[in-house]
Amino acid sequence: MFRALVSLTLAAAAGLAGARAADVDIPFQKFVLDNGLTLLVHEDPKAPIVAVNVWYHVGSKNEKPGRTGFAHLFEHLMFNGSENYDDDYFKATEVLGATDLNGTTNEDRTNYFQNVPKNAVDRILWLESDRMGHLIGAIDQERLDEQRGVVQNEKRQYENEPYTLADDLITKAVWPAGHPYSWTVIGSMEDLSAARLEDVHAWFRSYYGAANATIVVAGDIKAADALERVKKYFGDVPPGPPVSRHRTWIAKRSGTQRQTAEDRVPAARVLKVWNVTPTGWADTDHLDLIAKVLASGKNSRLYKRLVYDERLASSVQAFVDDREIASLFRIEATASPGGSLAAVEKALDEELARLLEEGPTAAEVERARAQTIAGFVRGIERIGGFGGKSDILARSQVFLGSPDAWKQGYERVRTATPADLAGAARRWLADGAYVLEIHPFPERTAAATGADRSKLPDPGATPAATFPKIQRAKLSNGLSIALVERRAIPVVEMDLILDAGYAADRADLTGTAALALDMLDEGTKTRSSLEISDQLQRLGATLGTGSALDTSNVSMSALKANLDASLDLFADVVLNPAFPPSDFERLRAQRLAQIRQEKAEPVSMAIRVMPPLMYGAGHSYGVPLTGSGYESTVAKMTRDDLAAWHKAWFQPDRATLVVVGDTSLAELQPKLEARLKDWKPGKAPAKSVAAVPARRGTTIYVVDRPGSIQSVILAGQLAPAKANPDEVALQTMQTILGGGFISRINLNLREDKHWSYGAGGFLLDARAQRPYIFFAPVQADKTKESMQELLEEIRGIRGGRPVTPEELQGAKDQMTLTLAGQWETNDAVAGSLVELVSFGLPDDYVTTFPAKVRALGAADVPAVATKTLRPDDLLWVVVGDRARIEPKLAELGWGEIRFVDADGRPVK
């Protein structure tokens, strides 16, 4: 239970590990309306936003064989309009500035959530209550057929990825016939095709009554105010019929089951699955800690042996897939390329047997505990979204009957002993492996009257969104500091932005930047990789490294109490990487495995091939967008190449340290001076980012992927750099054309044609000419037609189909109203600050942005579209089954069709 409440970070706090649940709290008030609706309210005024999170206690386990996929299909239908607002839900919410907006379905529940500026609470409650109490009249055959097509394309898109067949095989193997978990959440194609309109209406009447729902309202709102509003909008919703439920059905197995399957994957993978206890049970929380002991962090048993020491595997993970009536414990390991899967499984079995015999050590338990608690504490900074406070309260109420039931799991984690963990592991993991993988219903009455349903509530004035003050300083060695003070939680976020990135790679050593940054925490002159990992976990800190097109970065999240020690470690990693040869060989092997994986996945295949074709030979941006490089360049790379790259590009006078959190310049600057005084500036090499002439004519490049049931379509061209005078108009045009759910491209290919699960476009921010890429993963038999539709949308926004006043205003609202909730967390503030630093934008960019957007006129968008878009000169990349799509592509008559492999090399 506790594990499922948070999206855990990579590190944890030893200091927090002793904190009792009473010291880490989520205050709430609980109300139950006369119709049975449960309301939970949490007051948090730190930002002028409110999270509204509705949980229906229904998921795929409430379905019946032959009628699977209904819960997930209905999630989609509830976004398509209700009786009193018969239009797309996103159209009503994006204009409010809604963020963290989504709906999801799993085996046990369906939820809908969003954060909105506090002035928009009435409208959101009206909309949520309207689809709870007034939906059936809006669901007709046309709408059912439309969303059925969308869901089927979602299923195709998922099944088109490597390894995904494992989930279907596991589901069928580990649960007995008739068990509520013995079918997948998305259901089968046959069941989705057979869904009738009357079946859908019956499903709604059975499960979407008020008494089967919990709503959490969290944020800048008083409980009494929230209660009155919820009564107004939800009080007249019928309670619905009683619902029968399974409470527990673990289906524990004995013996070993084995299954073999084949798929188009770059490396072999073994999966082991055990049926274990449900969410909320002590053994489930203890098994989650066991999973961390086994495979979380470099010091974990399986990672250290399989990946770090013996290099039998390129990756390994263990986790508890916890659910309401039973859970699964899973271990997955992917063999190193060319390695023996039998050897991987043998080592895995030996480590598990040793753990079952000896139990975990006290140090292992402490690391796992600290990791879990620190992740939870960081998660509750947010009011909404997955792992936020509204999510935690809802899950605790729906699955365990009390909004604060999460505290039981928290206490179990806080007080867990090696013996607790060993006992749980022996009870549930010693046998039964699959290898590959009701209370009387009270009388309820609905209120005689309710809200005015004749019109949407007026949201009123939107609260002003202000970006916090940026403080600037510079160290004696030229390192710039950009700092924002934020005192909400005792955490300091730091991100060192260096002028490097993929564009700093030599052409013959493409992939250096990414691999060099990955190597930074693999050891310094005084600390080994395992010592760095151990110190991070003890400090409750996280360390991240990475590269983008123009920049490389080293980030750290530190607890304020441990800031000095965290800075010591941060400085050591930045200045003194040792690039140990043994670790280099291990990471290089993993990178080669990653490249092979990218060359097997349809989307990554396309984005690897596109940039070199767009920029041409010799341009620093002409590299795979993944940054991983090529097998040929990585294979010949040495650790000395990484060391030389680090020396050349890590220059303090060409770097900025972004800091957000519980500190000040007066406190931090002396600490940085003391630790970075020996970092001296030097001269970095030049990047080759000269302007690329506009291409002429259309060329289609095809990457053959035999057997693909989908085609991934990219259409690309070059656009101006991020820092350009037309940027606001360009972003607005992109928002309308391809930047969101209700963009023209997505509404066309997903909602109208049902050929894709999602399509659109994106501008990859860059300091020089940047890629503007349109994308559409579509069913294979509609490849040609989808390309025609995509081209027509690009042409249309230039003037053939003028932007309407409604579209322009919608884009403006979407780009400005979301700002009220954009900077809730330190990490979000840091992200905006990193954007300013990375692309040389002025400090007032974010504060002046809304006014610039609102000032756009009717002629500005078509003008920038005509200036920027060149529909007749696009470069197309299509990844799909050549034998199936080539004849249709030839029918287009657009120009030359060329065939390349997954590295972009010509093939016949």
Side-chain angles (χ1 to χ4, degrees), residues 174-316:
V174 303
W175 305 109
H179 192 283
Y181 294 156
S182 61
W183 50 85
T184 60
V185 175
I186 202 167
S188 71
M189 282 291 191
E190 295 78 7
D191 289 357
L192 289 168
S193 297
R196 300 171 303 172
L197 188 61
E198 52 265 39
D199 295 328
V200 172
H201 287 180
W203 178 267
F204 176 78
R205 294 189 183 99
S206 297
Y207 296 108
Y208 283 78
N212 199 39
T214 294
I215 179 170
V216 183
V217 179
D220 193 6
I221 190 170
K222 296 296 184 182
D225 185 15
L227 175 60
E228 289 308 307
R229 297 188 193 204
V230 171
K231 282 182 177 180
K232 175 181 178 180
Y233 294 109
F234 289 83
D236 63 339
V237 175
V243 177
S244 61
R245 307 188 191 282
H246 289 283
R247 302 309 303 174
T248 304
W249 189 353
I250 298 175
K252 191 176 190 302
R253 293 173 291 109
S254 61
T256 299
Q257 299 169 259
R258 302 193 69 91
Q259 189 170 8
T260 300
E262 294 180 346
D263 191 12
R264 288 188 175 92
V265 294
R269 176 177 294 180
V270 62
L271 302 94
K272 289 179 177 282
V273 184
W274 293 262
N275 293 54
V276 300
T277 50
T279 189
W281 286 35
D283 274 359
T284 310
D285 292 323
H286 293 151
L287 286 170
D288 177 60
L289 295 175
I290 282 288
K292 291 181 172 61
V293 170
L294 282 171
S296 181
K298 294 175 183 176
N299 291 284
S300 62
R301 296 190 179 202
L302 294 179
Y303 187 95
K304 187 173 184 302
R305 178 172 175 184
L306 274 68
V307 180
Y308 195 91
D309 290 337
E310 298 183 12
R311 304 180 191 176
L312 296 170
S314 60
S315 66
V316 63

Side-chain angles (χ1 to χ4, degrees), residues 405-439:
W406 63 267
K407 293 182 179 180
Q408 299 172 4
Y410 186 104
E411 283 299 301
R412 291 191 195 108
V413 171
R414 189 184 70 83
T415 60
T417 66
D420 293 330
L421 272 62
R426 289 164 188 157
R427 281 188 289 274
W428 298 100
L429 306 183
D431 186 29
Y434 165 72
V435 186
L436 167 23
E437 340 276 283
I438 218 178
H439 304 283

Side-chain angles (χ1 to χ4, degrees), residues 3 28 40 83 113 157 165 177 266 295 342 345-346 380 398 450 488 551 637-638 651 679 692 707 826 844 905:
R3 180 207 65 81
F28 67 92
L40 309 175
E83 294 169 357
F113 53 92
Q157 182 162 322
L165 59 80
E345 186 175 355
K346 180 175 182 294
I380 62 174
V398 171
T551 60
M637 207 175 286
T638 68
Q651 306 294 344
W679 189 15
V692 178
N826 291 345
D844 66 351
R905 295 172 300 201

